[in-house]
Each structure stands twice: as structure tokens, then as C-alpha cells.
Amino acid sequence: MRLADTFQMAFLAIARNKIRSFLTALGIIIGVGSVIAMVHVGQAATQSVTENISSMGSNLLIVSPARARRGPGGVRITSPPFTIDDVETLEHEIRGILVAPEINTNQSLVYANVNHNASILGTTNDYFEIRNYQLDRGRYFEPEEIERSATVCIIGSTVNDTMFGRSDPLGNNLRVGRTSCEVVGILQAKGASFGRDLDDVVVMPTGTVQSRILGNMDVRSIQISALQDGTTARIKAEIEELLRDRRGGSGREDDFFVRDMQEVADTLEGTTRTLTMLLGAIAAISLLVGGIGIMNIMLVSVTERTREIGIRIAIGAQVKDVMIQFLVEAVALSCLGGLLGVGVGIAGTHFATQAMDLPFVLSMDTILIGFGFSAFVGVVFGFFPARKAANLNPIEALRHE
Amino acid sequence: MIEPDTSPESTEPIIEMRKIRKIYGSGNTEVRALDGVDFRIEPGQFVSVMGPSGSGKSTCMNIVGCLDTPSSGAYLFCGLDVARYDKNQLALLRRNYLGFVFQSFNLIARTTALENVELPLIYKGVKPAERRLRAMKALASVGIADRADHAPSELSGGQQQRVAIARALVSEPTLLLADEPTGNLDTETTADVLHLLQQLNHEHDLTIVMVTHEPEVAVHTRRVLYFVDGKLVDDGPPSEVIP
Ligand SMILES: Nc1ncnc2c1ncn2[C@@H]1O[C@H](COP(=O)(O)OP(=O)(O)O)[C@@H](O)[C@H]1O
Ligand SMILES: [Mg+2]
């Protein structure tokens, strides 16, 4: 028997019972569709987490004071902020890093008749490299401007768009709180990270924010970038040792913590990956149920077509001919379901990623595995009905009503 | 598997049954469907098999047709002992040397007459174009080429039986077996089908074995095997066997 004839026979059998074939394949369609959609959404979430974290800057470490906690007798213990001295010590003592202070506040901006609230950042030029900001136009701060806490600022693209619109901000004075600042640079857009607009920002020299806006010399956090990949763990330990010394010794609990963003990324990635696998596994169970549906219908079909099978055997079909015919029918049915399932899965991925604001990226591996699974299910669950058909006794089969 | 010698020079009988037994069940429920049957059928014969219901006619035909194997005894098909052939070898024998016609036509539903006739050739691995040609020829030879595209449900009983005969003939068998082929037909179509079988026997020297319980049908053959209770009790021309 020619292979082409085997396939034609199977497709004719499927086409002869369109509605039933579709309903049979529906289990596979849903199974493959949900496997593909679930895994894709999981992968998109993983990717989004990774992208969000790497958009913050590579090899980033953030040093912050520990959260306020309850001491003995319920006394609230707040951790003291850092000082510029801390920043400079870190810079001198630890090799292979970039260090920048970060002083955060929120202020209203005024230019012409436009009002806008933005996040204000006091820092040094290294900050731009640490956090991966590129200059779009203008210039960075002059060392002298940082030295004397000059009233200059570099603005993010969101601030530029909302405050200045079409006009050129360079050289113009922007009111930040009650201080007037000259705009000397504009940053390239970076987008959002974890829902926060990274471009809605006004960057000023450290001292300017400290003395002119906030009126104190505290440093809220220290941003550090390891210049070499894979050194963040060592650098984290070095920072901890140094700060422990400077902030009252090692005898007590640390009143600061160092966050290694690579570590955070790894943890988050691991979590989303586990979740993806879990979702995929749940979806795979529905694929299994779809396979049982195929087996069920194939068994019904074998019973229904007992007489036809008897005829085929009588006119010379061998065991393998009948076996292959029914197996191909089951596999074709599940593969058709798989093919439709791939379509459903891609559409599902599209809608889900859109709804969750995740990147829409298709992975060929996932699609092939989803589809391959459907073929596998067809073989496994088609085997038993096919063997039943092939081993029918022709005499009894021909007597069957 | 040794192929049977079906050439015209062969001196072997087509069918040789030696002490064939077929026993169903065991102990109290034992049924001797065939109980020591011996006969030979030479090439070119047109033989009818008669006997009361339950006498073993169909059982005998199933063994002759390689659909079943005897419990004991030897069955030589064209001189070849096929009693111990396995399922797949028997399937090959049926495919290449045997044609079947049944009482209930046994065409595949929702499949055109042409496709039904093509089916044996599909299992023989014949290519589609040649297959179609041979199937059309077979349909034409039974006078029903104009119904090639009709499904069995759109055909009368007589037409369906013609399609079934075409299907049996399409692979050019050595032996045609018919189990009550006219059992479901009215008098007029019975005559048609009988005439067709006679014609095939005369013009193509096709060996035919046909089960029937109607004496009017059996008289058209040249030899009658008469079964009673699984035993062959009479064997001769219709005029002698039929009372
Ligand atoms: N598969 C079977 N199992 C048990 N008994 C059977 C089977 N097939 C046939 N028989 C018995 O064998 C005997 C002969 O049957 P059969 O050859 O069909 O008779 P006929 O065709 O002459 O009417 C009957 O008694 C029948 O009941
Ligand atoms: Mg019978």
C-alpha cells in the first residue's frame, strides 16, 4: 500500500465527519493552544523582568539605609542616611567600580505657563553611566558646577516634552521648586521600568539638591556599578565590610543594605520561570485529556466501522495496513488539532501580552514542542484503537450490523 | 511465503480439501461446523454449494477463501498447503488470488462505486492512474460504468451486487467466491447476476464457487456440493443432486 494512499484514506475519513472530527480535535486545539499561550506569556514575563532590570544599568548595586525598625521597648530606630564622605570613601577604597550618590525628591517644575511634577535627582556625572543614561543633546555637568553646587540641570525626555514641547530647552531656565535652573542637557528616552517612567526626571548636581532644594546634606542612597562582569558579589562584600566599619562596627545588626540587582534579577527570573513551567504543565494536562477524547472517538469509530474493516481485511488488507490507517487517522486528527491549536495559542499570546503590557515575542521552540506534543498524543492514544481495528476477525466483522 | 502456481499449465486443482474439520467451542457446547470434508475443484469449474441452514456452507467458504483456518485437515490452494499460513500471509493470498461476493453486497458506505472497486488495488499498491483505469474497466465489464460516481446508497440491490462483483474481479483473481450472492435480490436481478457469473465463467474461464439455497440458482451451475450437518453428503451435477 502506498503511503500517499494511506494519508488520503485518513483525510477522507476525517473529512467525511467534519463536525465530529472538529469536536474530537477540540480537546487538542485547546490543549496545544493553552500550552503555547501559557508558556509564551511566561517567557514574555521573564523577558520583561530581565529587560526592566537591565535597563536600570548593568552590574548595578544599590546601597540604602536599612528600614526603620522597632527596637527594645518598641522604640522606633531609624537608620542614619549616608554622607558624601561615605561615597568618596567607597570610591577610593574599592577598585573596579563607579560610584554616585543619589538624592531623591519630588518637586513641581514651572516653565512659561506649564506646571508639572517630576522626580528630582541630585548626583554626579558617573550616575549617567551607572544607570545607563545617554545624552541626547547638550552636555553633562562641568566639574566646577558640581564643586560649587551650580543651578544647572539635565532633563529627561518626558520632562522635555511636557515642559518645553517644541521649543528648545537648552539655555533656558526651569523653575525647580523655588530654584531657577539652567537646562544644559537632555537625556535620551529610556522608557519605563516596573511601571515607573525613567524619563520623567530632572538631574542636578548633588550639592544643588542638598543645599538649595532640600536644605540638608543627607545622601539617600549610593549607586554603584561594577566595571567587570561577575564581580558584583565580591564588591557587595567589600562595600558591606567598609560601611560596617564606618557606621558603628560589626558587633550589631547592619543599619544599611546592599542590593545586588543581578541577584534580584536572578531570583525574579527563577520565579517567573517556575511559574511558566507550572502553567505549561497544567496546560499539558488538558492536552492529555484531549488525547483521551481522541482515543474515545477512535474506539467509537472502530466499532462503527467494524463492517468496513471486515471488508478491507477480506479483500486483502494486512494487519499493518489497517493498523496504519487508523493510526494515521488519529495522528492526522490530533495534528490538525495541533495546527489549529498553534493558531489559537499565538492569538491567545497576542491578546494576553497586550492586556498585560508584555512584549509579544514568539518562540519557535515552544510552538514546535506544542505541536510535537499533539502528534505524540495522537500516536499514543491512537495506538490502542488502531490495534483493536487491525486485530478484528474478518468473519465476525462482516457479520456485524 | 511460497506463491501458488496459477499458470494455465499447472495441473493442480484450485481447491483440494482433505479431511477438513472446523470445531467451535469445546465440551458440551462443541459444534462441528465441518466434520471431515473432502473435495477437489478443478480450474474453470462453476460450483454451487447447497445444504440446509447451519450445515457448514459459510464455514467451508471462509476456509476456502482463506478468511479462516481449519481446526484440522489440509487445505491445498493451487497445490499449496495454506492451513498453517498466518494472518498476513492469508491476507496476501486473498489480495492476489481471491475475489469475494457477499449476500449483503458489503460495499463501503459513503464511498463511490469507483472507489469501492479501486480498494483492492490500493492494497496492492497500484498507482492512482492505472488503478482508476482498471477499476473503470471492471465496472464496464459488469455493465455499470455509468454509475461509477454513485455511492452504494444511490444504487439498487442488483447494481450494488454488480459493483461488488467488479470489486472482486478488479485484481484478476484465480478464484471467485460468492456466499449467497442472490440472497437479497429479486427474481429478475437474480437472473441478471447469475447470467453475469456464467458469462465470467464461460468467457474468462474464471473458477467460481457459489453458496445458494435456491435450486433455481444452483441449476445454472455444472456441479453441486451438498452439505448436511458439516458433512459433504452429495457431489454431482444439479440434475442428480437436486431432488
Ligand atoms: N463463530 C462461531 N462460533 C460458534 N459456532 C459457529 C460459529 N460460526 C458458525 N458456527 C456454527 O457452525 C455451524 C455452521 O455454520 P455456517 O457455516 O454459518 O452454516 P450455513 O452457512 O450453512 O448456514 C452452525 O451450527 C453455526 O451455528
Ligand atoms: Mg451461511
Side-chain angles (χ1 to χ4, degrees):
Chain A
M1 191 171 181
R2 297 162 71 248
L3 201 63
D5 291 326
T6 309
F7 279 94
Q8 198 189 9
M9 225 179 243
F11 281 106
L12 282 177
I14 289 170
R16 211 176 284 152
N17 256 314
K18 286 194 187 65
I19 293 179
R20 188 164 85 175
S21 298
F22 175 73
L23 291 176
T24 309
L26 198 58
I28 299 288
I29 295 175
I30 293 171
V32 170
S34 47
V35 165
I36 287 180
M38 297 282 186
V39 173
H40 270 135
V41 168
Q43 284 170 339
T46 311
Q47 191 185 341
S48 153
V49 164
T50 315
E51 273 171 9
N52 274 329
I53 287 176
S54 69
S55 75
M56 283 180 164
S58 48
N59 298 331
L60 180 65
L61 295 141
I62 298 173
V63 188
S64 327
R67 283 215 184 79
R69 58 189 195 279
R70 297 276 165 198
V75 191
R76 213 176 125 87
I77 306 168
T78 52
S79 310
F82 304 105
T83 61
I84 285 298
D85 213 31
D86 290 326
V87 178
E88 278 165 3
T89 313
L90 286 176
E91 198 165 7
H92 288 136
E93 301 289 325
I94 300 174
R95 286 150 161 277
I97 57 170
L98 286 174
V99 187
E102 185 183 88
I103 294 118
N104 275 309
T105 172
N106 256 295
Q107 297 290 327
S108 65
L109 309 177
V110 184
Y111 176 77
N113 53 0
V114 189
N115 251 284
H116 176 64
N117 232 307
S119 113
I120 312 300
L121 237 153
T123 188
T124 59
N125 280 331
D126 279 346
Y127 184 83
F128 299 112
E129 194 169 340
I130 294 169
R131 298 297 292 255
N132 241 338
Y133 279 105
Q134 309 281 329
L135 205 58
D136 185 32
R137 282 187 304 131
R139 59 172 177 79
Y140 290 118
F141 302 123
E142 302 289 352
E144 166 267 337
E145 287 170 342
I146 289 172
E147 190 72 17
R148 64 174 173 88
S149 306
T151 51
V152 289
C153 65
I154 297 172
I155 59 175
S157 62
T158 304
V159 171
N160 181 17
D161 293 344
T162 42
M163 298 306 296
F164 296 95
R166 294 262 173 96
S167 59
D168 185 7
L170 289 180
N172 280 314
N173 279 316
L174 179 69
R175 272 259 310 279
V176 180
R178 274 162 304 174
T179 317
S180 185
C181 286
E182 186 196 339
V183 180
V184 297
I186 304 155
L187 297 170
Q188 278 177 16
K190 247 169 86 85
S193 168
F194 294 112
R196 229 187 79 218
D197 183 0
L198 296 172
D199 304 314
D200 197 9
V201 64
V202 175
V203 188
M204 301 162 83
T206 322
T208 317
V209 178
Q210 284 175 325
S211 55
R212 292 180 201 266
I213 293 175
L214 292 175
N216 65 57
M217 299 309 280
D218 300 345
V219 171
R220 296 289 172 78
S221 78
I222 306 170
Q223 311 274 316
I224 293 160
S225 172
L227 293 176
Q228 256 188 324
D229 286 344
T231 55
T232 50
R234 172 181 62 81
I235 287 166
K236 180 180 175 184
E238 285 182 32
I239 296 167
E240 279 170 347
E241 196 179 345
L242 208 106
L243 288 180
R244 221 165 271 149
D245 261 13
R246 291 179 58 80
R247 291 164 71 90
S250 50
R252 28 166 265 198
E253 204 179 325
D254 285 344
D255 59 357
F256 65 91
F257 65 91
V258 184
R259 228 177 327 158
D260 179 346
M261 292 317 282
Q262 193 52 54
E263 233 172 75
V264 176
D266 290 348
T267 313
L268 279 175
E269 233 174 80
T271 312
T272 48
R273 206 156 272 157
T274 310
L275 225 78
T276 305
M277 265 158 55
L278 205 72
L279 288 173
I282 291 169
I285 290 172
S286 73
L287 196 54
L288 219 64
V289 175
I292 293 167
I294 286 200
M295 177 154 80
N296 191 12
I297 291 297
M298 289 308 294
L299 282 172
V300 170
S301 173
V302 168
T303 307
E304 247 183 33
R305 289 153 70 186
T306 297
R307 212 185 170 92
E308 175 197 323
I309 296 162
I311 297 168
R312 288 175 185 278
I313 295 175
I315 65 175
Q318 287 185 314
V319 169
K320 67 165 193 281
D321 294 323
V322 179
M323 177 99 196
I324 290 172
Q325 182 193 341
F326 278 86
L327 204 53
V328 166
E329 204 174 309
V331 173
L333 206 55
S334 66
C335 282
L336 281 178
L339 221 57
L340 290 174
V342 166
V344 168
I346 291 174
T349 308
H350 178 75
F351 290 123
T353 50
Q354 211 159 45
M356 291 188 255
D357 207 13
L358 291 171
F360 175 66
V361 182
L362 295 178
S363 112
M364 209 59 212
D365 285 359
T366 307
I367 291 171
L368 285 180
I369 288 171
F371 180 73
F373 214 159
S374 73
F376 176 73
V377 162
V379 173
V380 169
F381 290 98
F383 182 79
F384 177 58
R387 204 185 56 178
K388 193 180 163 195
N391 288 325
L392 281 178
N393 178 332
I395 299 164
E396 280 163 27
L398 284 168
R399 266 206 299 260
H400 194 264
E401 282 315 310
Chain B
M1 181 177 102
I2 309 163
E3 297 282 323
D5 178 8
T6 57
S7 65
E9 298 85 49
S10 169
T11 54
E12 299 282 356
I14 298 245
I15 299 168
E16 183 172 354
M17 291 270 192
R18 290 185 193 156
K19 295 195 178 63
I20 291 288
R21 277 205 164 78
K22 182 70 183 180
I23 297 167
Y24 290 111
S26 60
N28 277 345
T29 60
E30 185 182 276
V31 177
R32 297 183 168 222
L34 289 178
D35 194 6
V37 172
D38 292 272
F39 63 87
R40 291 158 67 122
I41 293 176
E42 304 296 334
Q45 287 192 339
F46 188 179
V47 180
S48 51
V49 176
M50 296 191 74
S53 178
S55 57
K57 304 183 296 289
S58 295
T59 305
C60 183
M61 288 293 269
N62 290 337
I63 290 172
V64 170
C66 298
L67 283 166
D68 206 354
T69 46
S71 305
S72 68
Y75 167 33
L76 276 65
F77 177 72
C78 298
L80 213 65
D81 185 1
V82 298
R84 259 155 291 282
Y85 273 32
D86 70 17
K87 264 205 242 195
N88 286 316
Q89 292 170 323
L90 292 175
L92 287 178
L93 280 180
R94 292 195 299 271
R95 179 187 294 186
N96 294 319
Y97 305 101
L98 294 165
F100 291 90
V101 177
F102 305 91
Q103 180 178 358
S104 48
F105 321 134
N106 277 336
L107 298 175
I108 295 179
R110 283 184 287 180
T111 305
T112 64
L114 183 67
E115 285 164 346
N116 264 287
V117 177
E118 276 186 63
L119 202 57
L121 300 181
I122 289 181
Y123 287 116
K124 284 183 99 165
V126 178
K127 292 208 173 75
E130 188 196 337
R131 208 160 72 201
R132 192 129 305 181
L133 213 72
R134 284 173 64 178
M136 277 312 291
K137 243 174 72 186
L139 280 170
S141 73
V142 299
I144 199 162
D146 57 330
R147 297 295 152 91
D149 293 328
H150 290 242
S153 58
E154 299 162 354
L155 298 172
S156 72
Q159 289 171 327
Q160 286 190 56
Q161 199 58 301
R162 280 167 184 272
V163 174
I165 292 170
R167 184 179 63 191
L169 294 178
V170 76
S171 52
E172 292 163 4
T174 311
L175 174 63
L176 182 70
L177 299 171
D179 195 345
E180 306 202 35
T182 59
N184 280 359
L185 300 177
D186 57 39
T187 327
E188 206 175 318
T189 36
T190 294
D192 282 353
V193 167
L194 259 180
H195 180 72
L196 180 60
L197 292 178
Q198 274 181 317
Q199 194 186 331
L200 290 167
N201 175 245
H202 280 144
E203 292 172 15
H204 302 279
D205 239 7
L206 181 64
T207 315
I208 302 176
V209 181
M210 172 180 70
V211 174
T212 182
H213 59 262
E214 299 163 273
E216 314 83 79
V217 171
V219 290
H220 290 95
T221 62
R222 277 174 284 166
R223 180 180 169 197
V224 175
L225 303 174
Y226 201 90
F227 283 79
V228 174
D229 282 343
K231 290 194 170 73
L232 181 60
V233 294
D234 220 339
D235 180 356
S239 52
E240 288 174 20
V241 175
I242 301 169

